[in-house]
Structures are given as structure tokens and as C-alpha cells.
């Protein structure tokens, strides 16, 4: 059946086939077994709206979601409290767009929301300038790596073995296709001569804080930039990347008022120094004056290939995560400095209480040393996947199996949403799962 969205004529199709050396469409798809070409679609009969809602509700009940289940799973997406004002305001139709607000004449509301988002990211990180947001934390990190290569004219990116493995996957996707190299390092002496940026994640994948001052000194001594991957909730308690001399700071904005949502949509946080502004990816909203002297907001920097000469573009990021950025802005405004600190303190103390209780159990230990925030690794007396199955049967979502890094190890997460009763249930379940 001709596609209504690909209006090629017969002549067009013949030209396309000739260009790739195929005599017909059937020959083009000859490698696909005939039994799998245009198979019969055995769809169920159509349902009424009410029947369809019941069907979807039944499918949704097969998920194990935080709230219904006690959740101790983190590793990149976190169960935090979302104040009611966040969904109430982001649910307004005025904000419901993923498009960049190009026309200031009709977009003052969304432009101001983005400007406030950028300002709050700068306050949070101690950096000088922030953009309108990236897709998520991992893509923000990859863009930071590319930016450091443009600034230094070098081609290697160094990272530590405590970097989130999924972030590393995204880095490889972005960098290796451009001929750039990734190098795992353990210190300044191991940095290659052509190192453009040094990536340090704190808290790292195991939940521990890194020595950012030493990392900054090492990076700058080697003529490289320090790229700090931060956790926005942890900054409620700990010093921001700007205090340590970070050149670029990136983070995942999901903990700031966004649901876990089985992986997205999220928003990436991206901030840097003013001297590097021209090389910053994405868009920047600025405050200006109109012809009558009134305050107004407008896109002041957009270094995309759609807006400037392609060879001078810094990024091809397209979809704006402005609704997610607006949610993060409302979250930070609602909590304020004291509220964010309180959330961070609750995460820290509950996580440490949980770790102490588990470490007191026979057969369980904490194999990773260092100051941790809300995540920590435990060694289990049995394979984690078996323990997690038993936890799930008791209404508990366990931790991430990291046995590929430590024998029989699990990465646990505790947030302000975790109750004392849930921690006690987890400890009791661990005791039984360990056979003691």
C-alpha cells in the first residue's frame, strides 16, 4: 500500500532502486524470508472507550511502581516528593509545548520560565551561565565532552571508573563516531597529553563523593577542562561544582520535580563559565529591553545548525525540554534553599541509617569506602537477582545488581520518600533472604 507520508512517484522509486542497484522492491527485500514479509495482522476486535480503559489499567497494574511498592532502586532515576504545585502549574496549557519559543512577541511566558530555569541552575551550581536545558543528564555530559574538545582543540576525554555506565555508553555514541577517544584514568599522572576534558561524577555511580578539588587541579595542570557531573539534590548539602573550579557542570534534572516515568522525559542541566559561552550547546534566553524600555525575554544565543552556518554550530539538539525545565523551576522555587537542604539531609541520614542496619546483618558488608549521599553498595550473602525476586514478592523494589563490579553486590538508594517502616521491612527481608 502506498504510504501517504512518502509521496514518491513510480519514476522516483525506479530512480532510487537504480541508484542502489536493485531491479525491484521485491529484490530489495529479498533477504527477508517471505514468511515474514507483510504478515497477516491478527488484531483483536476493536474495543469501546470504557473497555479500552479497563484493558490499559490491567496492563498498568503489571508494573511495579514506587508508592505502591517500597522503592530502593536509584542508579540514575530517583523517587522524590513532587509538590502538588508542580503538576498543577505545568498542567496549564500555556506551558504544554516542546517547541523552542522562537517568537518573543507571543512567547514571553515560556521565555521567562526558561530564563528563571537558567538563573536557578546557575545559583545551584555556582557557575556563571546555564543554557535552556538538554535532553537528559547523559546527553548533557556528552555535549560537555564535545565542548571541551572544541575549546582546547584536543581529542581525548578522561573519566574515572566510577562514572555511571549508561552515561559512558552515551559518551561512546557521541564521541567515537567523531574520532574522539575515551580514556579511563585514576589520576593526573595518567592523563594523556591530548586530554581535552576530565569527567568526574560526584556523587559517583556508587553514591560516593569525589575529591573535586584534586580533580580540578589535575585537570588544569594538564591543560584540560574539568567537567563535573553533579546531583542537584546533593547540592542542597554539599559545595557546588563552581566552588571547585569546574569549567563545565552537568546534571540530571529528573530529581527536581519530575516523575521517574520509567525513564523519561527528563531534562539535562548544563552550566559553564562566561568565557566559554560561545561554545555552549543548545539555546540561551536573555533578558532585554524593548523599544519602550520595558523588560522582555528573547532567545539571545542559539548555536544550532538550523540557525547559523553548519560548520560553526556547536550542537544539533532539537527538541526543547522546556516543560520539564519549567517543572524543575517550579520545584526549586517552591522548596527554596532551606527546603532543598532539608530534602538532601533526609536522603543522607535515612541512607546512612539503612546502611548501618544492613551492615549489622550477618553476611552483609559495605564493600565501597567513602562518604556517600543517598546510594551505597552492599555485598550480599546470595546472588542479588534472587534476593530482589524475594523482595518483589513482599512489595519491595530492591537495588540494582552490580555483581559485574563487585561479587554479589547491590546498589541501594534511599530518599526522603522512604519511611522508617519500609527500611525496617527491607532489613527484615534481607535477614530472611540471607538465611539468618
Amino acid at each position: 500500500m502506498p504510504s501517504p507520508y512518502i509521496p514518491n512517484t513510480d519514476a522516483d522509486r525506479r530512480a532510487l532502486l537504480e541508484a542502489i542497484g536493485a531491479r525491484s522492491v521485491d529484490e530489495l527485500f529479498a533477504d527477508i524470508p517471505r514468511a515474514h514479509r507483510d504478515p497477516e495482522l491478527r488484531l483483536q476486535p476493536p474495543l469501546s472507550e470504557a473497555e479500552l480503559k479497563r484493558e490499559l489499567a490491567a496492563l498498568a497494574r503489571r508494573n511495579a511502581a514506587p508508592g505502591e511498592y517500597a522503592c530502593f532502586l536509584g542508579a540514575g532515576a530517583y523517587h522524590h516528593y513532587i509538590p502538588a504545585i508542580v503538576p498543577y502549574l505545568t498542567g496549564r496549557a500555556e506551558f504544554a509545548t516542546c517547541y523552542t519559543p522562537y517568537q518573543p512577541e507571543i512567547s514571553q511566558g515560556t521565555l521567562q520560565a526558561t530564563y528563571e530555569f537558567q538563573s536557578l541552575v546557575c545559583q545551584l551550581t555556582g557557575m556563571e551561565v546555564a543554557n535552556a536545558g538538554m535532553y537528559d543528564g547523559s546527553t548533557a555530559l556528552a555535549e560537555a565532552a564535545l565542548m571541551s574538545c572544541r575549546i582546547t582543540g584536543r581529542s581525548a576525554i578522561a573519566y574515572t571508573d566510577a562514572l555511571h555506565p549508561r552515561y559512558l555508553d552515551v559518551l561512546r555514541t557521541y564521541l567515537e563516531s567523531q574520532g574522539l577517544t575515551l580514556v579511563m584514568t585514576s589520576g593526573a599522572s595518567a592523563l594523556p597529553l591530548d586530554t581535552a576534558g576530565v569527567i568526574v561524577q560526584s556523587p559517583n555511580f556508587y553514591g560516593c563523593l569525589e575529591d573535586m578539588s584534586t580533580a580540578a587541579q589535575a585537570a588544569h595542570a594538564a591543560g584540560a577542562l574539568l567537567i563535573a557531573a553533579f546531583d542537584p539534590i546533593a547540592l542542597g548539602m554539599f559545595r557546588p561544582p563552581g566552588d571547585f573550579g569546574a569549567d563545565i557542570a552537568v546534571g540530571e534534572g529528573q530529581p527536581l520535580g519530575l516523575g521517574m516515568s520509567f525513564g523519561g522525559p527528563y531534562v539535562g542541566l548544563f552550566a559553564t563559565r562566561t568565557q566559554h559561552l560561545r561554545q555552549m550547546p543548545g539555546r540561551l534566553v536573555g533578558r532585554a529591553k524593548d523599544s519602550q524600555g520595558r523588560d522582555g525575554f528573547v532567545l539571545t544565543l542559539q548555536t544550532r545548525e538550523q540557525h547559523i552556518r553548519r560548520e560553526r554550530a556547536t550542537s544539533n539538539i532539537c527538541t526543547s525540554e522546556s516543560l520539564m525545565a519549567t517543572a524543575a523551576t517550579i520545584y526549586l522555587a517552591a522548596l527554596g534553599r532551606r527546603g532543598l537542604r532539608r530534602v538532601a539531609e533526609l536522603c543522607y541520614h535515612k541512607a546512612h541509617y539503612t546502611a548501618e542496619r544492613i551492615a549489622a546483618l550477618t553476611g552483609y558488608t559495605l564493600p565501597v569506602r567513602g562518604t556517600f549521599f543517598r546510594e551505597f553498595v552492599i555485598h550480599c550473602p546470595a546472588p542479588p537477582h534472587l534476593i530482589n525476586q524475594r523482595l518483589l514478592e513482599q512489595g519491595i523494589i530492591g537495588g540494582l545488581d552490580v555483581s559485574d563490579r563487585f561479587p554479589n553486590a547491590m546498589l541501594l538508594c534511599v530518599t526522603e520518600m522512604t519511611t522508617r517502616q519500609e527500611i525496617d521491612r527491607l532489613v527484615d527481608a534481607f535477614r530472611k533472604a540471607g538465611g539468618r
Side-chain angles (χ1 to χ4, degrees), residues 34 64 256 323 381 426:
R34 185 169 295 280
L256 304 177
L323 186 61
L426 177 75

Side-chain angles (χ1 to χ4, degrees), residues 31-347:
D31 290 339
I32 302 175
R34 185 169 295 280
H36 298 289
R37 294 182 218 165
D38 299 322
E40 180 185 357
L41 297 179
R42 298 176 181 175
L43 300 177
Q44 296 181 5
L47 301 176
S48 68
E49 184 174 323
E51 291 170 331
L52 183 59
K53 284 186 175 181
R54 281 195 292 271
E55 174 73 10
L56 294 176
L59 291 172
R61 284 195 293 272
R62 295 167 62 181
N63 292 321
E68 181 183 358
Y69 286 70
C71 181
F72 294 88
L73 181 62
Y78 302 97
H79 184 214
H80 285 290
Y81 181 70
I82 300 175
I85 194 173
V86 176
Y88 176 76
L89 290 180
T90 53
R92 292 181 62 93
E94 298 93 320
F95 293 122
T97 175
C98 63
Y99 279 91
T100 303
Y102 297 114
Q103 300 87 3
E105 299 86 351
I106 59 172
S107 306
Q108 283 301 295
T110 47
L111 284 168
Q112 182 174 357
T114 304
Y115 178 84
E116 304 295 350
F117 169 75
Q118 295 169 177
S119 302
L120 287 169
V121 171
C122 286
Q123 291 180 31
L124 191 64
T125 59
M127 304 296 284
E128 295 167 351
V129 59
N131 71 12
M134 311 300 290
Y135 295 135
D136 56 21
S138 64
T139 53
L141 180 62
E143 293 278 9
L146 294 174
M147 177 175 161
S148 70
C149 293
R150 290 193 298 271
I151 292 172
T152 63
R154 298 178 176 181
S155 60
I157 297 295
Y159 67 96
T160 69
D161 64 353
L163 178 66
H164 195 301
R166 300 290 81 78
Y167 280 30
L168 183 58
D169 289 341
V170 175
L171 275 171
R172 289 194 177 106
T173 301
Y174 271 63
L175 268 61
E176 291 182 352
S177 61
Q178 301 191 38
L180 306 173
T181 56
L182 277 165
V183 182
M184 190 171 70
T185 181
S186 57
S189 60
L191 291 177
L193 293 176
D194 61 343
T195 301
V198 178
I199 296 173
V200 182
Q201 186 176 24
S202 182
N204 61 31
F205 179 58
Y206 308 119
C208 296
L209 302 182
E210 296 278 7
D211 184 350
M212 298 299 290
S213 293
T214 301
Q217 292 172 7
H220 294 155
L225 305 185
L226 175 65
I227 302 170
F230 64 90
D231 182 315
I233 298 295
L235 296 187
M237 280 183 66
F238 301 105
R239 293 172 60 193
D243 280 11
F244 298 108
D247 300 285
I248 308 172
V250 297
E252 172 56 67
Q254 180 272 326
L256 304 177
L258 306 182
M260 299 172 76
S261 304
F262 297 97
Y266 297 161
V267 59
L269 313 178
F270 195 108
T272 185
R273 304 288 179 185
T274 305
Q275 67 192 90
H276 303 314
L277 173 62
R278 180 57 185 79
Q279 291 299 330
M280 186 171 67
R283 295 156 290 259
L284 182 71
V285 174
R287 186 169 61 185
K289 297 285 186 182
D290 67 8
S291 59
Q292 300 177 27
R294 297 174 300 187
D295 284 340
F297 299 89
V298 64
L299 282 177
T300 54
L301 181 73
Q302 36 189 338
T303 55
R304 304 165 65 189
E305 80 289 351
Q306 293 167 301
H307 300 114
I308 63 176
R309 284 183 294 171
R310 186 173 184 177
E311 61 272 17
R312 297 195 64 187
T314 61
S315 170
N316 66 351
I317 179 171
C318 293
T319 301
S320 173
E321 302 287 346
S322 61
L323 186 61
M324 304 300 109
T326 300
T329 304
I330 298 167
Y331 176 89
L332 287 170
L335 264 67
R337 188 184 300 272
R338 292 182 179 178
L340 186 63
R341 181 177 179 84
R342 181 58 177 159
V343 171
E345 289 174 341
L346 286 170
C347 292

